[in-house]
Amino acid sequence: MQDKPKRPALDQLRTFVTVYRSGSFSDAARTLHLSQPTVTNHVVSLEKWFGTELFIRTITGVTPTSYAHEVAVSIADQVDHIDRYFSSDEHRQAAIRELRIGASRELLIPVILPALAGDAGKLPILSLSFDSSTELLADLQAGQLDLVVSTIRPRSAEMQSWPLMDEEFWLVAAPSLDIPEGSVSRLSTVPMVSFNRELAIVRRFWNAVFGAEPLFDAVLTVPDLLGVKQAVLAGFGMSVLPSYLVEQEVADGRLVRVADDSEAPLNTVFLVAMKPALRARNTIAGMASLLINRVKQHQQSVPALDR
């Protein structure tokens, strides 16, 4: 009978936790100040011990297996506690405390950062990144992010989601833009600035408010909602934008709301975490609770406008 491999050492378990959180052997090696072959050897030794694969290797990094999620839930907190007790290495302490949060650029800059501003100096070390919700949820599932602000409601049973805020959409334009009164067909002659050529956000608004399809093309396409807002402020045309992006500009008169949009669509924004990671790291749950409360307070502090 073949002897079972030697019981895993603490440094191997620490390497596993770091790879699990970073989603990359090379990133884990840099964090732990180890060579990449050493990180690989640690993981291979653990896979021999557990008798199963822990990570699926890809061209962009590694993805934890379901078994790896269970191992992380069981040992991550304990490894963190041991490191905090014995280690004086500042780099390692920073890696333990760091939280990685992903959101779209138009949510991260005008909503998430201002909402957390009052807690500056009291937060864990934060690493913030922005991308589309689809990409961010994939990164979350791969263990490369700890929390994601998503405009898509996740369907995975391994993900925990909380409603964070509602997006309300307004049709807005600069006051200098000539907006004809009357029918939808006349309104449709006004130049439109859009996020994409498919007019995805505009189409949803047109369908809900006017019961019609937008039978026009955008005169300007900007693949960034903050960029769309700047183009509208500059007078390139009107556009449909989330209210949180333009409330201040409407309040001070730099933009005007064009249509009676009482039937405008709403979209719920979610805060999402992986359930195994929530169980493995108390700081993720704590940050999620803080972020939900702070975003709510931030939304309530925005100038009240007639809706």
Side-chain angles (χ1 to χ4, degrees):
M1 182 176 178
Q2 187 175 4
D3 291 338
K4 192 166 183 69
K6 185 178 178 181
R7 179 182 298 180
L10 176 59
D11 59 345
Q12 293 173 333
L13 298 176
R14 183 186 295 117
T15 297
F16 162 78
V17 172
T18 308
V19 171
Y20 176 83
R21 289 171 176 165
S22 67
S24 165
F25 282 15
S26 57
D27 287 349
R30 283 191 292 270
T31 299
L32 295 172
H33 304 287
L34 298 174
S35 68
Q36 188 162 335
T38 299
V39 170
T40 300
N41 288 337
H42 284 181
V43 172
V44 170
S45 294
L46 286 174
E47 289 178 328
K48 288 180 180 177
W49 168 262
F50 289 113
T52 187
E53 192 174 31
L54 294 173
F55 299 101
I56 299 170
R57 282 68 165 175
T58 69
I59 59 173
T60 58
V62 294
T63 300
T65 63
S66 58
Y67 193 88
H69 286 308
E70 295 303 318
V71 173
V73 168
S74 300
I75 72 169
D77 259 356
Q78 286 78 6
V79 171
D80 287 349
H81 284 308
I82 292 170
D83 274 340
R84 281 193 290 268
Y85 189 83
F86 288 106
S87 177
S88 60
D89 183 344
E90 293 180 2
H91 295 290
R92 186 169 297 145
Q93 290 296 318
I96 291 170
R97 296 194 306 270
E98 182 181 8
L99 280 175
R100 301 157 302 170
I101 302 176
S104 64
R105 186 167 180 263
E106 61 270 13
L107 279 165
L108 184 63
I109 295 173
V111 177
I112 304 304
L113 287 178
L116 293 175
D119 298 291
K122 298 176 289 185
L123 297 168
I125 294 173
L126 299 180
S127 175
L128 306 179
S129 58
F130 53 82
D131 208 329
S132 68
S133 291
T134 301
E135 294 299 322
L136 291 171
L137 290 174
D139 288 344
L140 179 71
Q141 194 157 27
Q144 296 174 12
L145 292 171
D146 300 311
L147 289 168
V148 161
V149 179
S150 172
T151 56
I152 300 172
R153 183 168 192 168
R155 300 300 179 187
S156 171
E158 288 190 325
M159 292 183 181
Q160 173 69 54
S161 64
W162 305 267
L164 186 64
M165 57 181 283
D166 285 330
E167 288 183 312
E168 183 179 345
F169 293 93
W170 293 352
L171 180 62
V172 293
S176 58
L177 196 67
D178 184 21
I179 306 293
E181 297 181 0
S183 66
V184 178
S185 60
R186 294 191 65 193
L187 183 62
S188 297
T189 64
V190 179
M192 180 66 72
V193 182
S194 178
F195 176 77
N196 57 22
R197 295 201 175 277
E198 293 73 30
L199 303 175
I201 299 174
V202 174
R203 174 167 283 101
R204 187 178 175 198
F205 184 94
W206 239 248
N207 291 166
V209 175
F210 304 125
E213 285 292 312
L215 303 177
F216 48 80
D217 294 321
V219 298
L220 177 64
T221 302
V222 186
D224 178 283
L225 289 183
L226 291 173
V228 172
K229 171 184 167 179
Q230 292 304 313
V232 174
L233 284 166
F236 280 90
M238 61 183 180
S239 192
V240 177
L241 288 164
S243 60
Y244 63 80
L245 277 187
V246 294
E247 282 176 319
Q248 186 58 57
E249 289 77 7
V250 170
D252 61 28
R254 284 179 290 161
L255 292 176
V256 295
R257 294 171 68 177
V258 173
D260 177 11
D261 47 17
S262 57
E263 299 300 321
L266 290 174
N267 186 53
T268 300
V269 177
F270 295 92
L271 183 63
V272 189
M274 296 299 296
K275 291 178 180 178
L278 279 174
R279 295 192 294 266
R281 294 183 67 193
N282 295 332
T283 50
I284 297 178
M287 189 65 203
S289 178
L290 176 69
L291 191 53
I292 291 167
N293 289 332
R294 292 296 186 259
V295 169
K296 182 178 180 180
Q297 292 169 5
H298 175 70
Q299 293 298 101
Q300 292 172 343
S301 70
V302 174
L305 300 172
D306 292 335
R307 299 184 185 277

